[in-house]
Amino acid sequence: DPDRLRGDAPVVFRSVDVVAKRVSAATGHAAAYAPEVHVCSFLDERYPASRPHEVYAYSARDFAVPTLTELYRGLVEEHGIEYLFAATILAGVIQVGLGYLGVGELMRFIPRTVMVGFVNALAILIFLAQVPHILLTDDASGTDRVLANGVAILIGLAVIYGLPRLTRAVPSPLVAIVAITGAAMIWNLDLPTVGDMGELPDSLPFVALPDLPFAIETLAIIFPVAFTLALVGLLESLLTAQLLDDLTDTDSDKNTEARGQGIANVATGFLGGMAGCAMIGQSMINHRSGGRTRLSTLASGVFLLILILALGDLVAQIPMAALVAVMIMVSVGTFDWRSVRPSAIRAHPLTETA
């Protein structure tokens, strides 16, 4: 099935993100598949390309408001990891409630210029996040490794943009990842890999209630974090939904999306995972790879589960250069280049452009 294949394309990025950004090993890959597997059962069929993801990914992490990364860390450091799981469950409940209250209807009040700014800002942040992996600023190795890494990225970009001119039977990002990984393994190239970013777990999570006191004091601790997670998660998800609606010329049910995301977060909290939401970068990979139904989201979650349990050693050997190449493609493709043309800027009121 095309959607099943296309859904596999963003999985490696999901895998890397969870390793790089988890608060502790307890919230890593073991429960990472849960939002994708659960949410696809509740999403609107017309809006399938949403990619559940940690809420503090690129866009939310870099907002001017207190970052969700610090919210996570502060909660965990001060009260323990179990409070994070409880906050995730409560955030999901809040999202379900907002979905039934019709929060999705508010999307029609968001101006076009806000959408353009949202998309362009995310594109810039996605690209900036790749710079350390391009220049290897966190690596103490010499110029030769930086040069080899840069060449690998350029080869990846050549495959990504060149293969569709020959065939679209398989997603070019997936081919680029396989090709660069194969070359690195065959010729024993010295390139940074996914395994350098952290350990990959090898066991499934189990369903359990968070181990904390069931009291009003507990609610007072987790509610501010849960409420923030719910709002920021819905904001990014609904804006992503609107963007994909524009790309696919469809009209999705935003309230169904909110409820589906909330149910998925409730399930994820009981499995020991962090709150998730749609991620525009991976949604764009999914869309540009050909994913059009929610089966692509299900396939992504299931394939991620297979990767981390059965193919963890292989995933650890994937060069970061391959993933950087795809994320550069996503960044370039996400940015609305027409919005920065002089004619487009003159067409908008100065107050909206600023």
Side-chain angles (χ1 to χ4, degrees), residues 3 28 36 41 67 97 99 111 113 136 144 146 149 174 177 190 196 213 216-217 222 239 265 268 281 298 312 326 340:
D3 280 299
E36 293 166 309
S41 301
T67 64
T113 49
L136 301 184
D144 290 344
V146 175
N149 187 63
L174 199 58
I177 293 170
D190 182 21
D196 295 336
I216 192 66
E217 291 80 8
I222 66 174
L239 287 173
N265 279 333
T268 301
L298 175 62
V326 181
V340 295

Side-chain angles (χ1 to χ4, degrees), residues 23-280:
V23 174
S24 86
T27 64
H29 279 74
Y33 76 94
E36 293 166 309
V37 172
H38 288 98
V39 77
C40 66
S41 301
F42 305 99
L43 284 177
D44 179 9
E45 180 66 33
R46 296 167 297 175
Y47 170 49
S50 170
R51 303 287 301 111
H53 195 74
E54 281 82 17
V55 184
Y56 67 103
Y58 298 113
S59 58
R61 181 186 62 193
D62 295 297
F63 279 158
V65 297
T67 64
L68 294 181
T69 303
E70 295 305 319
L71 283 174
Y72 275 133
R73 290 177 180 172
L75 183 65
V76 172
E77 290 174 358
E78 186 173 351
H79 300 286
I81 194 70
E82 297 293 330
Y83 282 82
L84 174 59
F85 302 151
T88 296
I89 295 170
L90 181 57
V93 173
I94 293 173
Q95 289 174 332
V96 172
L98 291 175
Y100 279 110
L101 290 174
V103 68
E105 302 302 324
L106 299 177
M107 287 302 297
R108 68 176 185 268
F109 297 111
I110 296 181
R112 172 67 181 174
T113 49
V114 172
M115 284 295 302
V116 171
F118 169 75
V119 170
N120 289 351
L122 286 179
I124 294 171
L125 290 172
I126 290 172
F127 179 80
L128 291 178
Q130 310 315 309
V131 173
H133 300 296
I134 297 173
L135 302 178
L136 301 184
T137 54
D138 296 330
D139 199 313
S141 54
T143 305
D144 290 344
R145 197 183 196 203
V146 175
L147 181 60
N149 187 63
V151 171
I153 293 173
L154 292 176
I155 293 174
L157 289 171
V159 172
I160 290 169
Y161 286 108
L163 184 62
R165 297 178 180 273
L166 302 176
T167 178
R168 293 183 179 271
V170 291
S172 60
L174 199 58
V175 174
I177 293 170
V178 173
I180 295 177
T181 302
M185 295 173 66
I186 292 172
W187 288 299
N188 195 27
L189 301 179
D190 182 21
L191 296 173
T193 64
V194 173
D196 295 336
M197 301 187 67
E199 294 185 12
L200 301 175
D202 56 4
S203 61
L204 283 170
F206 55 89
V207 178
L209 287 170
D211 185 16
L212 42 75
F214 191 75
I216 192 66
E217 291 80 8
T218 301
L219 181 62
I221 293 171
I222 66 174
F223 182 79
V225 176
F227 188 71
T228 304
L229 292 175
L231 291 186
V232 174
L234 281 180
L235 175 63
E236 183 167 1
S237 291
L238 297 182
L239 287 173
T240 302
Q242 189 62 51
L243 171 64
L244 292 172
D245 284 351
D246 294 341
L247 292 174
T248 58
D249 195 24
T250 58
D251 184 19
S252 63
D253 187 339
K254 309 300 188 301
N255 294 320
T256 300
E257 166 66 19
R259 294 193 294 270
Q261 181 178 305
I263 294 171
N265 279 333
V266 170
T268 301
F270 284 117
L271 288 170
M274 295 179 289
C277 73
M279 173 60 183
I280 188 170

